[in-house]
Amino acid sequence: MKWLLAVTAGVCLSAAETPAEFFETKVRPVLAKNCFSCHTQTKLGGLAMASREDLLKGGKTGPAIVSGDPEKSLLVLAITHQHERFKMPPSGAKMDEVSIGHIKQWIRDGAVFPEGPGTKQAGKQYIVTKEQRQWWAFQPVKNPAPPAVKNKAWGKSPIDAFILAALEAKDKKGMGPADRRTLIRRATLDLTGLPPTASEIDAFLADKSPDAFAKVVDRLLASPHYGERWGRVWLDVARYSDDKLNSTMDEPRPNAFRYRDWVVQAFNKDMPYDTFVKAQIAGDLLGKPELIAGTGLYGLSPEFQDDRVDVTTRGFLALTVACAQCHDHKFDPIPTKDYYSLLGVFNSSKQNEYPLADKEAVEAWTKKKKELDKAKEDLTNFYAKQTEQLSEIFAAKADKYLLAAQDKGPYDGLDGETIQRFRNYLKKKDRLAKIADSPAVFRAELIAVQEEKKQIDEKNNIRLGGSRERGDLSQADLLSLAPDKFYLWRDFYRNGGVFNYGPGKIDRFIEGQWREHLGLLKQIVETAEKALPEQYPFLHAMADNDKPKNEHIYIRGNRANLGEEAPRGWLTILSPEGGPPRFEKGSGRLELAERIANKNNPLTARVMVNRIWQGHFGEGIVRSTSNFGRLGEAPSHPELLDWLATKFMEKNWSIKAMHREIMLSSTYQMATGNIEGENRLLEQFPARRLDAESLRDSILSVSGRLNSELGGKAFPLEDVKQNRRTVYGYVSRRRTDTMLNLFDFPNPNATSEKRVNTDVPLQRLFLLNSSLMADSAEALDKKVEGSTPSERIQNGYRAIFGRTPTKAETDLGVQFTKAGGEAWPEYWQVLMATDEFLMVR
């Protein structure tokens, strides 16, 4: 019987993200938002959270964290609401699962907490020093001449001169060329994510012309499958997903695929990269309707406060500007004010739907949707009123329920389920000890806390301007119950509380005219749902707010403690010494786009050519592809990086031209050898395992099962009957597909610079036991022809590997398949699980 595998998605540091960087970008902002207001100067409960030492020391109830063990840490128990007393934050709303996961990972990795800044003084000017401006990434892109080398016969391209010069300086040399079969497989997988067919290999082997490989590269670049492969590379950076981030339920975005398809087509059309950048930052402001879909980069945002700043600066500039939201950047010349200048740009923008249907269709659907929303609102309000009234009725008898729950009073006239709920509540001894001796006082407290909560809600509604739509940006100004009162209110009145009977559960208490009215409301909702047609197609995009405004600095990341205003504008380090220019046209997104997609920007071209290089060699010239700052790695070949960036811009920012430049070099065409060590100078071509998408697509391709249809709505990858390319599979922020997660698919809740490449036993078990492998092996068995076992084996080898088996391989295959029956599919499955198939060499 085959194994059943289940892999749970988790949060992990990316390959190039240091613990300090992880804390600054993923943990400190969460603590600042939810914890610091009560646990820095105030130190409620004796707990301070200004340092690692504070957390290890803890407060009145002991240490807040146990380094290396999140499950034993009081902080984790409190934010996951698993502690019997402490449920944090005190507002009652549980943290989102991603933030909780980040805190757990941080504690698991040792709770690195870089020395915190002193209290930031509003108005303090940040001066970028001359030394800071000398950092290599901030220097203008140069156009260096290829260096002289000793072995002039080795190179085919200026790229080779830069590589060979570095090797020769260390008394090393590059490997000879890969064999032609290996080369075409490498190129085809690199550019399309699919293996070459046997006929494509045969044609290349037969072509003896000097430009035979160049013709292969050009053919692959012209393939529609090129955009599917390289579009997915960008979607990692763009943290693309098909749903909203919701920790409690699936919440799909049915039109998300339109951004994904736009990215795929942008690569296929070789859209100039500077246009590609501008379209994603400000496509709605460029006057070209075909570019609006690009703003799906933000229109599909997971909606963290710092997310859009982070994806913009890491993705296009390889700068970790989000590290500066609580204090000036610890390592790079990025003041806190710069972070809030950019945040103002994005907070002056809004997510917007651009219809792809005529006006009449939009208006008709909108009318029906409003009718449904109104019907649901009426039903919800009715339930809310009945729930509130019923809870007040129960509260008035709280002393009687308390006595009945302890079997000390009569049950007459009391509700049996509510008595049992009360008993469950009293199972915690501290609660019983607190209230058992004073039932009347307890009843009065319950009534009083409900009345106080109503008054607070009314005051907060006034502070929100009568609208709840302003979201969490207003939460710092809101009032709340004291913690002890809040816990009491939560335990009895909130959803799941002792006295709370919500929709469905409260129906048994509703009688007479009220029950008749409830039935009518339900019928209206049901009718409106049936009358609502499928929504018209639209783009998840962006638009400027009607009244753009600047942000103020949140001192220590606390939005309740505002500092000086941060005018919307450009980064100080990338500006003249006179200061950064301000953005004054609408939100500033168009001005931001023009500053990023600019030949005078020293980062943009370097960052993208480095990503392209990483796509071909597994590592970038700068291995930290989304961090060119001091926490990142220095370039292994800085002059080559600048030469490539120069050529990139000279050739109209053409990504396809850059592929061609790299792939026609001797460096790319080297063989994979057995040289040990990091191979940082590229003595040989680095072998690597297929990524998750290429692996699944290759298995489907060689078995003849692959559906090559382009674009369209996302399909569930767990559906074994779905044979489309993996790039079109449903990507969830909430729960990653098992197979994708097993083979190192990135977390779509944050921008990802690189796939982690693991080799673990569960992967091998998947290859031996998954339905994908078994079904594909059976399909391949039906496809492979041959009148003898030897002939079938030869044809199977050509289908899977693009080559003819050796005599020893054929003999072994014949021996294995003698049993017949299931032996043949199992044989093909074993071949598809070999390193020869799984690796790019």
Side-chain angles (χ1 to χ4, degrees):
M1 185 175 180
K2 294 188 180 285
W3 289 70
L4 295 176
L5 303 179
V7 181
T8 303
V11 179
C12 62
L13 277 68
S14 70
E17 194 168 32
T18 67
E21 186 179 340
F22 184 81
F23 175 79
E24 296 295 353
T25 58
K26 304 294 195 312
V27 179
R28 193 193 291 270
V30 175
L31 298 180
K33 176 182 176 181
N34 296 285
C35 310
F36 286 173
S37 60
C38 296
H39 296 290
T40 48
Q41 285 91 350
T42 310
K43 300 181 183 178
L44 288 184
L47 173 62
M49 298 180 69
S51 69
R52 185 175 187 273
E53 289 69 28
D54 286 340
L55 290 163
L56 290 171
K57 178 182 177 182
K60 296 177 181 177
T61 54
I65 62 172
V66 177
S67 179
D69 195 342
E71 306 309 322
K72 292 183 180 178
S73 297
L74 181 60
L75 174 61
V76 172
L77 294 174
I79 64 176
T80 56
H81 291 191
Q82 293 179 355
H83 193 278
E84 64 179 44
R85 290 177 54 204
F86 302 120
K87 306 287 190 295
M88 296 296 168
S91 64
K94 187 179 174 183
M95 277 186 197
D96 64 88
E97 294 299 327
V98 173
S99 296
I100 291 173
H102 288 154
I103 290 175
K104 287 182 176 180
Q105 185 65 40
W106 166 64
I107 295 172
R108 190 176 295 115
D109 291 336
V112 171
F113 195 131
E115 182 182 353
T119 302
K120 182 173 175 60
Q121 300 298 317
K124 179 182 177 182
Q125 186 177 9
Y126 184 103
I127 305 297
V128 176
T129 66
K130 183 177 180 180
E131 179 186 8
Q132 288 172 322
R133 290 186 180 277
Q134 294 304 309
W135 183 248
W136 70 267
F138 303 135
Q139 299 303 301
V141 175
K142 301 174 183 176
N143 186 15
V149 294
K150 298 174 184 176
N151 184 2
K152 299 186 181 344
W154 186 77
K156 298 180 179 180
S157 155
I159 290 173
D160 301 324
F162 291 103
I163 296 296
L164 188 56
L167 288 171
E168 289 180 343
K170 299 289 185 180
D171 293 324
K172 298 180 178 181
K173 61 182 180 179
M175 292 284 291
D179 67 80
R180 287 164 68 86
R181 190 184 308 278
T182 297
L183 186 58
I184 188 174
R185 186 173 190 274
R186 177 189 301 172
T188 308
L189 285 165
D190 271 4
L191 290 181
T192 69
L194 297 170
T197 65
S199 60
E200 289 171 342
I201 295 174
D202 291 343
F204 176 55
L205 296 180
D207 188 349
K208 304 302 181 183
S209 62
D211 61 345
F213 185 61
K215 288 188 285 187
V216 168
V217 171
D218 290 340
R219 172 178 60 79
L220 295 171
L221 290 172
S223 166
H225 299 309
Y226 160 75
E228 293 173 322
R229 162 69 175 155
W230 278 84
R232 182 59 252 184
V233 172
W234 180 257
L235 293 175
D236 283 8
V237 179
R239 78 300 181 236
Y240 170 80
S241 83
D242 292 288
D243 63 3
K244 294 182 180 180
L245 178 59
N246 189 325
S247 62
T248 60
M249 60 182 289
D250 293 332
E251 197 170 356
R253 280 180 161 136
N255 284 275
F257 74 92
R258 300 185 191 281
Y259 170 71
R260 175 248 288 154
D261 286 355
W262 179 86
V263 169
V264 169
Q265 289 306 312
F267 275 87
N268 274 336
K269 294 175 181 178
D270 199 21
M271 180 183 289
Y273 182 66
D274 58 343
T275 303
F276 184 69
V277 171
K278 291 178 183 178
Q280 292 180 90
I281 299 173
D284 56 306
L285 304 173
L286 293 173
K288 296 181 178 181
E290 67 272 16
L291 298 180
I292 294 174
T295 59
L297 176 71
Y298 306 129
L300 298 171
S301 168
E303 300 173 17
F304 299 134
Q305 173 186 310
D306 66 325
D307 169 75
R308 292 171 187 164
V309 175
D310 194 45
V311 74
T312 302
T313 55
R314 284 183 190 261
F316 299 123
L317 302 172
L319 292 179
T320 56
V321 174
C323 287
Q325 62 181 294
C326 298
H327 51 74
D328 294 336
H329 202 292
K330 291 290 186 183
F331 309 99
D332 299 328
I334 304 170
T336 303
K337 191 172 183 179
D338 278 8
Y339 168 79
Y340 288 99
S341 292
L342 292 183
L343 185 65
V345 171
F346 295 112
N347 284 350
S348 294
S349 308
K350 60 186 176 183
Q351 291 181 324
N352 194 37
E353 295 178 0
Y354 283 82
L356 299 175
D358 58 50
K359 182 179 179 181
E360 290 74 17
V362 174
E363 290 177 347
W365 185 89
T366 303
K367 180 182 178 182
K368 293 292 184 183
K369 182 64 165 58
K370 286 182 178 178
E371 292 173 358
L372 175 59
D373 290 344
K374 177 63 167 58
K376 287 183 175 180
E377 182 182 3
D378 290 344
L379 179 60
T380 299
N381 289 340
F382 178 80
Y383 269 129
K385 288 178 182 178
Q386 303 308 309
T387 298
E388 181 180 349
Q389 189 173 37
L390 182 62
S391 66
E392 290 173 353
I393 292 171
F394 284 141
K397 299 180 180 179
D399 51 343
K400 296 180 180 179
Y401 275 102
L402 175 58
L403 292 171
Q406 301 175 78
D407 297 321
K408 294 181 178 180
Y411 305 104
D412 295 346
L414 302 181
D415 179 64
E417 182 181 350
T418 307
I419 292 174
Q420 186 57 49
R421 287 184 176 195
F422 222 125
R423 285 174 177 155
N424 294 337
Y425 172 78
L426 294 175
K427 284 181 179 178
K428 295 181 179 178
K429 294 181 179 179
D430 62 328
R431 290 172 173 171
L432 183 59
K434 183 177 180 182
I435 67 176
D437 296 332
S438 52
V441 173
F442 177 64
R443 180 191 64 194
E445 286 181 356
L446 273 178
I447 294 172
V449 77
Q450 174 72 328
E451 183 58 33
E452 185 177 351
K453 181 66 167 59
K454 288 181 182 179
Q455 293 175 5
I456 286 175
D457 287 345
E458 289 177 4
K459 291 177 181 178
N460 283 339
N461 193 47
I462 293 172
R463 293 188 176 206
L464 287 167
S467 172
R468 297 282 175 180
E469 294 179 359
R470 288 171 59 189
D472 66 351
L473 294 179
S474 299
Q475 298 306 307
D477 302 327
L478 301 184
L479 303 173
S480 62
L481 290 167
D484 286 348
K485 290 182 178 180
F486 169 77
Y487 296 143
L488 182 62
W489 175 85
R490 177 200 64 198
D491 291 341
F492 279 85
Y493 295 106
R494 202 171 69 175
N495 186 28
V498 176
F499 293 159
N500 185 287
Y501 287 85
K505 295 181 180 179
I506 199 175
D507 291 24
R508 68 184 178 88
F509 295 99
I510 301 174
E511 299 294 342
Q513 294 294 321
W514 287 266
R515 176 173 284 278
E516 183 179 336
H517 184 62
L518 174 59
L520 177 61
L521 291 176
K522 288 182 176 180
Q523 181 60 49
I524 293 173
V525 169
E526 184 179 344
T527 301
E529 285 177 335
K530 290 179 179 178
L532 183 68
E534 183 178 354
Q535 188 176 7
Y536 54 85
F538 63 87
L539 301 175
H540 291 280
M542 296 294 286
D544 279 0
N545 290 344
D546 295 334
K547 296 180 180 179
K549 64 177 183 178
N550 296 328
E551 283 293 336
H552 285 257
I553 292 172
Y554 303 164
I555 297 176
R556 296 180 67 84
N558 183 355
R559 65 187 65 186
N561 187 9
L562 298 181
E564 66 172 307
E565 184 176 291
R568 304 189 306 284
W570 187 224
L571 297 173
T572 303
I573 186 60
L574 299 178
S575 304
E577 294 190 19
R582 302 309 178 195
F583 298 157
E584 299 177 346
K585 298 177 182 177
S587 65
R589 278 186 295 117
L590 181 57
E591 292 160 283
L592 175 63
E594 290 169 343
R595 287 283 172 176
I596 292 177
N598 192 305
K599 289 185 177 181
N600 294 322
N601 185 323
L603 292 168
T604 307
R606 282 179 175 139
V607 170
M608 189 55 185
V609 297
N610 191 57
R611 292 194 192 283
I612 297 169
W613 187 273
Q614 176 180 268
H616 289 301
F617 293 96
E619 299 278 8
I621 296 172
V622 181
R623 286 196 288 197
S624 52
T625 47
S626 288
N627 188 353
F628 280 17
R630 290 187 179 273
L631 276 182
E633 292 203 24
S636 58
H637 301 80
E639 290 187 330
L640 172 58
L641 182 64
D642 273 17
W643 186 88
L644 289 169
T646 300
K647 295 303 175 189
F648 188 40
M649 291 185 285
E650 286 179 354
K651 294 185 178 181
N652 193 33
W653 301 82
S654 168
I655 295 174
K656 286 189 177 183
M658 192 52 48
H659 287 302
R660 202 174 192 278
E661 192 80 53
I662 292 170
M663 296 176 73
L664 297 185
S665 68
S666 293
T667 303
Y668 179 80
Q669 296 177 39
M670 277 194 296
T672 298
N674 296 312
I675 299 171
E676 296 182 357
E678 279 194 311
N679 192 32
R680 195 71 184 104
L681 298 180
L682 286 178
E683 297 172 73
Q684 62 182 353
F685 186 86
R688 63 186 185 276
R689 197 205 70 222
L690 292 174
D691 58 78
E693 298 93 324
S694 297
L695 173 59
R696 179 179 176 275
D697 294 346
S698 294
I699 292 167
L700 293 174
S701 179
V702 300
S703 64
R705 301 175 65 209
L706 184 66
N707 178 349
S708 297
E709 179 186 353
L710 300 175
K713 292 184 178 181
F715 67 89
L717 282 162
E718 61 268 21
D719 183 352
V720 296
K721 296 180 180 179
Q722 290 284 357
N723 296 332
R724 298 191 63 209
R725 291 207 65 174
T726 313
V727 69
Y728 303 122
Y730 190 93
V731 177
S732 174
R733 296 193 192 280
R734 184 171 178 235
R735 46 184 179 182
T736 309
D737 174 77
T738 300
M739 186 261 178
L740 294 184
N741 190 60
L742 182 59
F743 288 95
D744 309 315
F745 190 80
N747 182 351
N749 291 303
T751 177
S752 176
E753 66 179 22
K754 178 185 175 183
R755 300 284 179 97
V756 178
N757 203 330
T758 63
D759 184 7
V760 297
L762 277 178
Q763 293 169 353
R764 297 293 171 173
L765 287 173
F766 177 90
L767 295 172
L768 291 175
N769 298 292
S770 70
S771 59
L772 169 67
M773 293 293 287
D775 293 348
S776 297
E778 289 179 5
L780 181 59
D781 189 53
K782 295 175 182 177
K783 172 185 170 183
V784 175
E785 298 177 346
S787 57
T788 65
S790 295
E791 190 176 341
R792 291 200 79 203
I793 289 168
Q794 291 187 24
N795 290 335
Y797 260 75
R798 280 178 55 77
I800 297 171
F801 302 124
R803 67 175 178 85
T804 302
T806 64
K807 183 179 184 304
E809 289 170 332
T810 302
D811 292 343
L812 188 61
V814 170
Q815 183 179 355
F816 184 90
T817 58
K818 277 183 179 179
E822 290 297 314
W824 278 104
E826 289 177 358
Y827 176 64
W828 305 129
Q829 186 171 344
V830 168
L831 293 185
M832 287 190 290
T834 60
D835 278 355
E836 182 176 352
F837 185 76
L838 299 176
M839 300 294 291
V840 181
R841 300 185 186 277

